Amino acid sequence: MNRSTDPRMQADVLAPEAASATDAEFLAQQAALMAAARSELNAVAQAVMGNRFGAIRTEYTKQDNREFTVLTDSRGNDVNLWLDAIPMPTGMIANSVANTTSNEYILHVSDRLPGEHLTRVLAHEVGELLAVRDRSGQGMTPVRESLLERGREIGEQPELSSQDHGRIGELNWLAERANDVGLSEVQRSGARAELSAMLDHCGLRPVAPTSELEAHATDLESAQTRRYVSRPFLSPGAKRLVRELARPIEQLDPADATSLQAAREAALVAQRQVEAFIGRREVTMPMPGYAQNGVPYPRDSLKAAAPQWAEHRAQVSDHTVENIQQEAEGEGLPRRQVVIGGGASLAGRNPEALLVDGVGRWHLDPGAGIVQSADQDRDLQQWMGVDPYQAVSKPGERVSIEAVRLWEDQLATQGPVVNGQAHLRLGQDGLEAEVQPFDRDGNPSGAALRVACDGTPSVATGLPPEVVPGMPRGPNGVESRSEAVRLISERLHELEGAGVTGAEELRTRLTEADRGGQDAAGLLKTLQSSPLKDALTAGLGEGPAARMENCFTILDATQKWESAREAAPGRALMGDEVAESRFNPGDANHWIVAGSGGTGVANAEIILLKDPEAKVTIIGAATPPALKHQVQYREMLETYRKSGRLTFIDARVGAIETFEDENGRTSFRVPYTKGDPPERMELTGDGYVASLGRTNPLPSAVQALANEVRDQGGQISGDLRFDRDDQYIGYGLTFRTQDGQEHRVDVDGAASWQLPREIFPPEEGLQGRLNEMGARALPAETGNAAPGFSPIARQSALKARAVAAEQAGDANAVRRRADIPDRWKRPEPAAEAGSTTEPTPSPAPGTAPTLAPTAPQREPAAEVPKQPAPAAPKPAPGRGAPDAHLWQMGVPQARRSSSAAPTQPQQLPPDQQRPGPTRGPDLGD
């Protein structure tokens, strides 16, 4: 229920002004909302489900003691509900995730939600989630257009959307309260008035005056159609009230007419507030996934359309390069807003900016698609403007890779784009981007371009590189060769300052060797042959000394890894090489995938798909909880583990070792420990894929800039970036040169969830707190994670909105912080009056249907002993009119840069009937 049909409720979920509410107040509101939700959910579920309702109880996870609710229908089928009140973008009332893969349903309400709206919101979300579940269970994609919205056009075969079922849930709940003799007269009449007002918003009552005969007749016909379609799903009490109240206001009794008129006047005021806050910006960006005629691409046409759009993108890239080259022939460098990287972050694509993107990850991935289903990623329509259900035959299927490629290429070509890579550097007048274009095969093509950066460059280059086997872990761990070199260099700088002879020379040699591409063996030789090796740890405390020793451990592990790759070309791979199809699966018979996380499992699937004879062993720590809720993981267990081609080993993996098998071929030995007490064992195979996790360096696009700044005696600092609603939109880097100049670079997308350790020291624990925030917003039960495709689309759309507001003069639109807002910490549970942990008796067997999408024959809910009402949550802090949440609203549309736009490519992007242009940015003549 991201946006209610009732503008009064929209206006009540209000944006806090600066300092209008403290984090402590928000945490108290979160606790109060959850206490009330747990107490009221029993009654709400009964009202929404009617005789489909069976029981409700509270349970806790064994691993981390998180609370969830088990909702059981009258036939004993369970669904798990995960409730929370969290910070949400202004204007969002609630958000839900329907994980039909593992039967987990996440229901989040805004911590700005006034307590008086809570039960109605719960009723909506329960009704909507069950409708998604019912329809998905029959393999039916959701109804795209809602029917129960006044003004909506009614088709020849009107159907109810999942949002409509949520609205019916609200009507049933309000009817339950209006008819509840246990409530006061004020409460009952208030529920009746809310239901009556809701009939307007849902188009269930004619609102045109009866004196306007033609308009009233049209309005009445539409209302009657909606009532006919809705009637089978309304409770008996709701049906009765709809009969009484769904009449023109002129025909209502005086009390109902008076309350309805007051509600209409309040709704008009609220609607004006909403519109004034949102504004009426023109939206010119076309929706990706749609053809020129406005019709979504059919699923069976995606495979053909995706390569055509890839070629169109390549042509736009060629023309962008030509324009920059022509402009560079004049005086000075071409000046552009610069965005480096794409992927799901293209949801916030600014069509005015120069996008430099190497067409990586999803364009190269040979797998079947992203690992979530269309059901799990249904909010892509809200944040990216695409309909994931158009890319699947059933709602529980994974979103196809062709759809993802097409979406990204359509978004990329809505402005100037260069298929290539870019590195930021210091220039004479600010930052510059060194852009290397790629050809159709992804290889460097032609001379690099130089572009002056207009404003703050943005980097969204995806997840950073992976770690090598044997990385030392723990509080003093060192994760990569580059981190080891940096830490040793910093220690040598300290020794240099203390007057130690040779420290400066060794630091210079080490830095030059590392930047020059010297292998790990060479770096180790340089260090171990130096008389200063022992001085590196001398005088240090236990922790710093252990970390310095671990620098040598990671260099040794990297040396073994590099030696293995040299001894067995193409058979010792990083996981990203598999994900980007830069390998031949037939080169090995038994592949060892080190790492049991999402990347490791995805890589195993690619190998098994591409070579039907290959066997794979995944070895690593216990499978992350989120994987068990994903479509891909379950499909792999069903398809490959049962056939014996896929094996899992839960263990701790050591550094890689090589040996020659009986045929003289280089193979791999993987030492590992498992059990309690730990037992050392080993695994052998002729192919090895390292998918053990990610390093946390600076993004490669800013590494050259960082070296320049530090070599000149400057400094680099970082901060976290949140919008005014405490939504994380990435981190920022500030490069301060020795002469006092400052240059900003913003990092968003998946890269923003891996904080560079050299800027955000691991001992400060900020990375862990960021991960905890991400897990609260996206629990494992969603089958998703913060750096996933759909969550990054959401984050990037919010970032675009915040940046647009900041550029328009809103000083609080983007907030730079040193830590996670306390508002994201889990609040202490509020004291609850009453309990809902005891199951409610189910109706007699055989008297009620299951949770199927058939219309329930509702009977009044069984009597349940009433519980004392909990202390109601306070009105939400910081009320104000809501902002727009749609992805398009955050994208600047009216402003045009002075730089030349790319000319129109000769080959036009594809339509369903024939190639034809999309409406997008002006591509010139």
Side-chain angles (χ1 to χ4, degrees):
M1 189 177 172
N2 291 331
R3 297 190 59 88
S4 170
T5 56
D6 188 341
R8 297 173 302 164
M9 192 180 292
Q10 291 181 35
D12 273 350
V13 182
L14 307 166
E17 300 299 330
S20 66
T22 65
D23 284 343
E25 290 173 322
F26 275 120
L27 287 173
Q29 176 76 353
Q30 292 173 16
L33 283 168
M34 285 301 93
R38 295 182 187 109
S39 180
E40 295 286 354
L41 188 58
N42 190 328
V44 169
Q46 287 191 70
V48 172
M49 296 175 65
N51 59 8
R52 293 189 298 170
F53 178 80
I56 193 168
R57 67 183 186 275
T58 298
E59 293 190 1
Y60 298 87
T61 57
K62 294 180 180 179
Q63 186 176 19
D64 51 8
N65 203 40
R66 286 180 298 126
E67 180 179 327
F68 63 99
T69 300
V70 181
L71 181 60
T72 307
D73 70 14
S74 55
R75 292 192 177 180
N77 301 313
D78 290 342
V79 297
N80 295 337
L81 290 177
W82 300 81
L83 305 174
D84 203 355
I86 64 173
M88 286 187 180
T90 307
M92 287 188 69
I93 295 169
N95 190 47
S96 56
V97 177
N99 188 347
T100 55
T101 298
S102 58
N103 209 31
E104 308 284 345
Y105 298 83
I106 291 77
L107 195 168
H108 288 166
V109 299
S110 170
D111 62 4
R112 295 192 191 101
L113 183 71
E116 61 265 26
H117 296 315
L118 175 64
T119 52
R120 183 172 161 185
V121 169
L122 291 176
H124 180 108
E125 296 299 326
V126 170
E128 180 177 337
L129 287 174
L130 292 178
V132 172
R133 176 187 188 271
D134 293 345
R135 200 168 180 92
S136 183
Q138 290 195 342
M140 301 168 63
T141 57
V143 177
R144 294 180 59 221
E145 300 292 337
S146 293
L147 178 68
L148 300 186
E149 289 185 26
R150 184 159 60 89
R152 286 277 188 177
E153 188 174 325
I154 298 177
E156 294 182 1
Q157 294 182 324
E159 291 184 272
L160 297 177
S161 68
S162 57
Q163 279 273 359
D164 290 333
H165 281 285
R167 291 164 189 138
I168 288 176
E170 291 182 68
L171 290 170
N172 288 343
W173 170 244
L174 291 172
E176 182 77 14
R177 288 182 60 80
N179 295 321
D180 189 346
V181 295
L183 298 178
S184 68
E185 182 60 34
V186 172
Q187 291 173 312
R188 293 171 63 192
S189 61
R192 181 184 178 96
E194 281 190 60
L195 187 148
S196 180
M198 194 173 172
L199 298 180
D200 270 7
H201 309 306
C202 292
L204 294 169
R205 170 197 287 121
V207 296
T210 54
S211 58
E212 299 177 7
L213 298 181
E214 184 175 349
H216 179 77
T218 301
D219 218 4
L220 177 60
E221 182 180 3
S222 297
Q224 288 174 334
T225 300
R226 292 189 177 96
R227 292 201 297 265
Y228 176 80
V229 176
S230 305
R231 182 177 174 79
F233 303 95
L234 293 169
S235 67
K239 290 176 184 175
R240 184 168 57 253
L241 284 176
V242 169
R243 282 197 302 269
E244 293 177 14
L245 297 173
R247 295 178 290 169
I249 190 171
E250 298 92 336
Q251 298 174 11
L252 293 175
D253 68 40
D256 289 328
T258 299
S259 66
L260 177 58
Q261 184 59 39
R264 286 179 174 178
E265 292 172 358
L268 184 60
V269 171
Q271 187 64 40
R272 288 172 178 167
Q273 288 178 332
V274 171
E275 290 178 356
F277 195 90
I278 293 175
R280 295 183 176 275
R281 279 177 277 180
E282 180 184 0
V283 176
T284 60
M285 289 179 66
M287 303 274 272
Y290 290 72
Q292 179 186 2
N293 56 10
V295 177
Y297 282 102
R299 181 175 57 88
D300 55 7
S301 72
L302 290 172
K303 189 164 287 189
Q308 293 180 58
W309 270 99
E311 176 58 26
H312 175 63
R313 172 173 172 158
Q315 291 191 21
V316 174
S317 173
D318 291 343
H319 283 268
T320 302
V321 170
E322 291 173 8
N323 288 340
I324 294 175
Q325 290 172 335
Q326 291 172 6
E327 191 173 342
E329 294 175 358
E331 295 183 4
L333 290 178
R335 181 168 291 276
R336 300 284 193 280
Q337 283 186 289
V338 175
V339 175
I340 305 173
S345 67
L346 291 171
R349 167 75 156 111
N350 182 350
E352 305 298 330
L354 170 64
L355 171 67
V356 184
D357 179 30
V359 194
R361 188 60 184 101
W362 297 115
H363 284 78
L364 303 175
D365 193 314
I370 61 178
V371 300
Q372 287 81 27
S373 69
D375 277 339
Q376 290 170 313
D377 281 345
R378 65 193 182 116
D379 61 348
L380 275 172
Q381 188 158 25
Q382 177 182 3
W383 299 110
M384 187 179 261
V386 300
D387 184 359
Y389 292 104
Q390 292 295 329
V392 296
S393 59
K394 295 180 181 179
E397 291 179 350
R398 293 160 64 182
V399 177
S400 72
I401 201 72
E402 291 84 10
V404 173
R405 292 169 181 165
L406 184 146
W407 298 339
E408 290 187 4
D409 287 342
Q410 285 186 309
L411 288 169
T413 53
Q414 289 176 11
V417 58
V418 173
N419 290 346
Q421 63 183 11
H423 298 279
L424 297 174
R425 310 295 292 261
L426 287 175
Q428 294 182 349
D429 186 25
L431 296 182
E432 296 176 2
E434 189 176 80
V435 180
Q436 175 60 66
F438 290 167
D439 60 19
R440 299 298 198 274
D441 297 323
N443 300 314
S445 173
L449 309 172
R450 200 87 170 182
V451 175
C453 297
D454 183 11
T456 302
S458 180
V459 173
T461 46
L463 292 171
E466 295 165 296
V467 301
V468 301
M471 178 191 79
R473 301 177 185 273
N476 298 309
V478 180
E479 64 177 18
S480 67
R481 156 192 161 140
S482 62
E483 184 177 21
V485 171
R486 176 176 61 81
L487 292 173
I488 294 173
S489 295
E490 289 174 357
R491 176 58 176 159
L492 287 170
H493 185 65
E494 292 176 2
L495 295 175
E496 178 187 340
V500 175
T501 303
E504 180 181 6
E505 179 187 356
L506 179 58
R507 182 166 67 92
T508 301
R509 287 171 54 202
L510 183 65
T511 301
E512 289 178 350
D514 181 51
R515 293 183 187 176
Q518 176 69 59
D519 59 19
L523 296 176
L524 272 173
K525 184 177 179 180
T526 298
L527 290 166
Q528 290 172 342
S529 63
S530 170
L532 295 179
K533 181 177 183 297
D534 293 336
L536 291 172
T537 55
L540 295 179
E542 182 178 348
R547 176 165 292 177
M548 193 57 55
E549 291 290 349
N550 280 334
C551 289
F552 287 85
T553 303
I554 188 62
L555 287 174
D556 181 64
T558 304
Q559 176 187 12
K560 291 179 179 178
W561 176 247
E562 291 173 351
S563 297
R565 287 173 66 87
E566 184 177 352
R571 293 188 288 117
L573 305 169
M574 300 304 292
D576 287 340
E577 293 177 281
V578 175
E580 296 175 359
S581 200
R582 292 184 278 129
F583 81 116
N584 180 6
D587 285 350
N589 298 313
H590 176 205
W591 289 90
I592 298 170
V593 175
S596 57
T599 302
V601 170
N603 292 332
E605 181 193 42
I606 290 170
I607 295 170
L608 293 165
L609 279 172
K610 295 192 72 171
D611 184 359
E613 303 298 324
K615 292 186 178 181
V616 176
T617 298
I618 297 177
I619 182 169
T623 303
L627 280 185
K628 300 176 183 178
H629 300 286
Q630 291 177 353
V631 183
Q632 178 196 47
Y633 181 73
R634 289 170 171 246
E635 288 178 346
M636 288 182 64
L637 296 184
E638 183 69 25
T639 304
Y640 299 115
R641 191 163 71 170
K642 286 186 177 181
S643 68
R645 295 182 60 203
L646 176 63
T647 304
F648 287 85
I649 298 178
D650 182 359
R652 183 166 181 172
V653 182
I656 191 171
E657 299 175 3
T658 60
F659 69 98
E660 288 190 2
D661 63 16
E662 61 275 13
N663 299 317
R665 190 183 194 217
T666 299
S667 292
F668 306 101
R669 181 183 293 113
V670 181
Y672 65 91
T673 56
K674 65 177 299 184
D676 187 16
E679 181 182 0
R680 192 179 189 280
M681 307 175 75
E682 64 180 33
L683 175 69
T684 61
D686 56 347
Y688 187 99
V689 180
S691 302
L692 289 162
R694 301 282 172 178
T695 59
N696 291 49
L698 282 166
S700 59
V702 301
Q703 190 60 62
L705 172 62
N707 292 340
E708 289 179 322
V709 170
R710 285 181 172 139
D711 289 347
Q712 296 176 16
Q715 295 181 329
I716 309 170
S717 61
D719 51 54
L720 303 184
R721 301 167 69 242
F722 291 82
D723 68 9
R724 65 182 308 117
D725 301 318
D726 287 331
Q727 304 298 300
Y728 180 62
I729 57 175
Y731 68 82
L733 298 169
T734 300
F735 298 83
R736 295 180 180 88
T737 59
Q738 192 175 30
D739 60 4
Q741 295 185 35
E742 291 191 354
H743 307 282
R744 288 279 304 184
V745 177
D746 292 336
V747 180
D748 66 314
S752 69
W753 289 89
Q754 301 284 136
L755 301 178
R757 288 157 66 102
E758 60 189 283
I759 309 300
F760 303 94
E763 58 269 20
E764 294 181 0
L766 184 57
Q767 180 69 65
R769 294 192 292 278
L770 182 67
N771 294 343
E772 290 171 2
M773 181 189 71
R776 186 177 178 197
L778 282 166
E781 290 73 23
T782 63
N784 223 318
F789 188 83
S790 180
I792 290 302
R794 176 187 185 275
Q795 175 182 313
S796 297
L798 290 173
K799 179 209 169 186
R801 186 183 73 178
V803 170
E806 183 181 48
Q807 292 174 349
D810 185 348
N812 291 313
V814 177
R815 298 175 176 176
R816 296 171 175 84
R817 303 180 58 119
D819 206 341
I820 306 299
D822 285 345
R823 185 179 172 192
W824 276 105
K825 295 179 180 178
R826 293 190 183 275
E828 293 296 326
E832 299 182 44
S835 171
T836 59
T837 58
E838 293 299 322
T840 303
S842 303
T847 61
T850 187
L851 288 174
T854 54
Q857 301 301 311
R858 292 285 305 267
E859 297 292 339
E863 286 291 327
V864 179
K866 289 193 175 293
Q867 302 168 6
K874 297 178 181 179
R879 295 191 174 189
D883 194 1
H885 71 284
L886 294 176
W887 68 285
Q888 301 101 322
M889 292 298 185
V891 182
Q893 302 295 339
R895 196 174 63 258
R896 287 283 175 187
S897 64
S898 59
S899 58
T903 56
Q904 177 65 49
Q906 293 179 354
Q907 178 177 327
L908 300 175
D911 197 357
Q912 290 188 28
Q913 291 76 29
R914 60 177 180 80
T918 59
R919 283 179 298 168
D922 180 10
L923 297 181
D925 297 328

